[in-house]
Amino acid sequence: MSSLLRPFSVCEGPCESCGAKRGGCPSPAAHRQPPLQRLSAAPPAHQRPYAAGRTLAAAAAGGRKITHPGKAILAGGIAGGIEICITFPTEYVKTQLQLDERANPPRYRGIGDCVKLTVQDHGLRGLYRGLSSLLYGSIPKSAVRFGTFEILSNPMRDNTGRLDNTRSLLCGLGAGIAEAVVVVCPMETLKVKMIHDQCSLRPRYRGFFHGVSEIIREQGVRGTYQGLTATVLKQGTNQAIRFYVMNMLRNWYKGDDPRREMHPIVTAAFGATAGAASVFGNTPLDVVKTRMQGLEAHRYKNTMDCAFQILKQEGPQAFYKGTVPRLGRVCLDVAIVFVIYEEVVKLLNDVWKTQ
């Protein structure tokens, strides 16, 4: 009872200045000051819990990493041009094996045999037949891909710049569809026709521009858009898988530190993993697309008819023809593109200041 009548002390309860527990303040008199003095003696703002929370939030916001679409377009174009010059021979072999239909006696016994016969008949330059059509398209293709991805993803990122996995899947799908319609379909059609033409006893096309002029003269602009549906399906799923896997691995690697830098070797490893996932996920669509764009595409009524005929005449294993060379090319392709893209963006951030 006497304790209830005892005068109330400013040190009853936790001491705001020294943090001592109830009744444990070593010098109560030191804190018996006018209110204004007590306020002035309060801990600095940066030591208060709520202020520290704001500071951490500000630091996180400082780690916000959003790439300007203009930088993404430029960096993507540079990355695409360098990558295709390195990896085209594997693309050539993959396409040849997919065109080597089982309905006729196969010309090639495998990857090595395809390379051997091509070099024997056309020299090393034969492995780069059709490069020009892919090179002219790879630069705008990568530019459209990364530019579209950044345009779609920037509004979806949180205040730390992080993009969740589901949204990265949707943004990748949108980027793949955009590049398919704008660049990939006409580019791939020309590439496949020129590679297929080389298999003929009497090749008709003397080069990229001659091939383009001949195709447009005979078939019109529609001749460069064969297999559009299959291409949209392939590219859409391709980029959806790649950006999803890449974003998932990036978020896992950075954890709670959005400002953590990724070494190019780490970026390459993540890119190769994303590329492998896309190969196993959509090679059947790639096979159908290649057949729809070949010189014998007239045999098929549409994309579904093409898939049905492949299944009926060659069996389900035909949908994975060319998987091994495509796996090697795509893993290297995606790894190179993401590494070059990230490094070029870093360089552009130093010389091109944007909000």
Side-chain angles (χ1 to χ4, degrees):
M1 184 68 181
S2 58
S3 62
L4 295 175
L5 299 176
R6 182 162 49 88
F8 180 76
S9 169
V10 293
C11 279
E12 292 295 336
C15 178
E16 294 181 357
S17 295
C18 63
K21 295 181 179 179
R22 179 179 296 272
C25 179
S27 57
H31 305 310
R32 292 178 186 148
Q33 303 170 0
L36 291 178
Q37 291 182 5
R38 289 202 303 270
L39 287 175
S40 64
H46 67 276
Q47 293 180 3
R48 299 177 189 173
Y50 66 88
R54 287 202 303 266
T55 303
L56 290 175
R64 184 183 180 93
K65 186 177 181 182
I66 291 183
T67 302
H68 188 278
K71 294 178 182 178
I73 291 171
L74 182 57
I78 293 173
I82 295 175
E83 173 274 324
I84 199 59
C85 291
I86 297 173
T87 63
F88 184 79
T90 57
E91 173 69 15
Y92 174 89
V93 172
K94 180 216 70 168
T95 303
Q96 288 284 31
L97 291 177
Q98 289 180 346
L99 292 172
D100 192 28
E101 299 180 26
R102 287 193 174 188
N104 300 315
R107 183 182 181 190
Y108 306 115
R109 295 190 299 271
I111 299 172
D113 188 53
C114 179
V115 173
K116 177 183 176 182
L117 289 178
T118 300
V119 173
Q120 179 180 310
D121 295 341
H122 305 284
L124 288 174
R125 293 181 60 184
L127 294 174
Y128 283 89
R129 183 68 183 270
L131 171 64
S132 55
S133 62
L134 223 58
L135 183 61
Y136 298 147
S138 285
I139 294 175
K141 176 181 74 171
S142 291
V144 170
R145 176 195 309 165
F146 284 99
T148 302
F149 183 81
E150 294 299 339
I151 290 172
L152 294 177
S153 66
N154 283 350
M156 299 183 181
R157 297 179 185 273
D158 62 20
N159 63 345
T160 67
R162 183 185 293 268
L163 181 69
D164 68 47
N165 296 331
T166 301
R167 291 177 177 178
S168 70
L169 182 74
L170 296 176
C171 293
L173 179 63
I177 292 174
E179 72 174 12
V181 175
V182 177
V183 181
V184 176
C185 188
M187 177 192 71
E188 289 283 311
T189 301
L190 295 172
K191 179 209 71 175
V192 172
K193 287 181 182 296
M194 293 188 71
I195 291 178
H196 207 172
D197 178 65
Q198 183 174 303
C199 300
S200 309
L201 295 176
R202 297 180 179 180
R204 299 176 52 204
Y205 307 139
R206 298 190 297 270
F208 174 76
F209 292 106
H210 178 257
V212 172
S213 62
E214 286 296 302
I215 292 171
I216 293 179
R217 183 178 64 83
E218 296 176 358
Q219 305 173 28
V221 176
R222 292 182 60 185
T224 64
Y225 269 89
Q226 288 180 234
L228 176 60
T229 301
T231 304
V232 167
L233 291 173
K234 179 214 167 185
Q235 291 304 121
T237 56
N238 238 354
Q239 302 312 323
I241 294 171
R242 291 176 188 176
F243 279 107
Y244 173 82
V245 174
M246 190 69 186
N247 189 72
M248 179 180 64
L249 293 174
R250 182 186 286 113
N251 287 343
W252 166 78
Y253 180 80
K254 292 191 174 186
D256 296 328
D257 182 8
R259 305 175 77 176
R260 183 180 183 183
E261 291 291 335
M262 286 176 56
H263 192 279
I265 294 178
V266 176
T267 302
F270 289 173
T273 303
S278 69
V279 168
F280 290 113
N282 77 347
T283 288
L285 291 172
D286 188 51
V287 172
V288 174
K289 175 196 71 68
T290 299
R291 297 288 180 86
M292 288 294 294
Q293 292 173 332
L295 296 178
E296 298 181 358
H298 60 275
R299 295 172 48 189
Y300 311 116
K301 299 177 182 178
N302 50 45
T303 301
M304 290 299 297
D305 181 61
C306 177
F308 177 75
Q309 288 197 39
I310 293 173
L311 179 64
K312 180 180 179 181
Q313 299 174 9
E314 305 172 48
Q317 67 273 18
F319 288 110
Y320 279 90
K321 292 185 72 174
T323 296
V324 175
R326 186 183 180 219
L327 184 65
R329 186 195 73 81
V330 169
C331 289
L332 186 60
D333 165 359
V334 180
I336 291 173
V337 166
F338 273 110
V339 169
I340 297 176
Y341 174 77
E342 294 289 345
E343 295 304 308
V344 172
V345 166
K346 291 178 184 177
L347 179 62
L348 290 176
N349 285 337
D350 292 335
V351 299
W352 180 2
K353 302 300 181 183
T354 55
Q355 293 294 331

